[in-house]
Amino acid sequence: MELEIDLTVENGIQYFKVTGEIDAYTAPSLKERLESVQDEIGIQVELDLSGVSYMDSTGLGVFVGFYKRVTASEGHMKITGLNARLKRLFEITGLDEVMEIESEKGGTQNATI
């Protein structure tokens, strides 16, 4: 399955809408797209994964790397739209304790950063 990544910027926040499956085949294109974001102090990013039907550990690695880059620039990254399966993936890896995550049905988990 193809992976689509759309970027819009509104009020200084970069919104990424990701649609498709994130796996070993598609993760490199996601990583490349996220790496194209300019490093700037205090960058604000929101990643909407409501259109993602599947993700493996390769995808998690891409988000961890991007999270580290954003926080190194004193920025903030929020992941939204996780379905139950993806939310569980973030929970079993402990990433829900590190990153700010909002599931499809709302309910933001505020991480201690």
Side-chain angles (χ1 to χ4, degrees):
M1 177 175 209
E2 294 286 323
L3 184 68
E4 292 182 29
I5 306 149
D6 296 316
L7 170 64
T8 57
V9 179
E10 187 176 311
N11 298 322
I13 301 173
Q14 298 190 40
Y15 293 94
F16 285 90
K17 171 74 174 162
V18 184
T19 306
E21 295 182 355
I22 305 171
D23 57 21
Y25 177 73
T26 60
S29 63
L30 175 62
K31 182 178 179 182
E32 182 179 306
R33 183 70 170 110
L34 294 177
E35 285 179 348
S36 72
V37 172
Q38 296 294 318
D39 285 329
E40 58 185 64
I41 300 298
I43 188 171
Q44 301 293 309
V45 179
E46 185 170 315
L47 300 159
D48 178 357
L49 304 185
S50 60
V52 175
S53 57
Y54 172 82
M55 182 169 61
D56 66 12
S57 61
T58 312
L60 285 176
V62 170
F63 290 121
V64 168
F66 187 63
Y67 173 80
K68 287 180 178 180
R69 190 170 143 224
V70 168
T71 56
S73 298
E74 300 174 15
H76 181 77
M77 182 180 99
K78 178 180 179 179
I79 297 176
T80 64
L82 294 181
N83 62 33
R85 184 176 183 173
L86 294 181
K87 187 172 189 290
R88 181 72 179 130
L89 188 58
F90 279 86
E91 288 172 350
I92 62 174
T93 58
L95 291 173
D96 65 322
E97 299 294 326
V98 178
M99 299 176 182
E100 182 178 351
I101 296 174
E102 185 177 292
S103 63
E104 279 183 334
K105 296 181 181 181
T108 300
Q109 277 187 279
N110 291 320
T112 304
I113 300 174

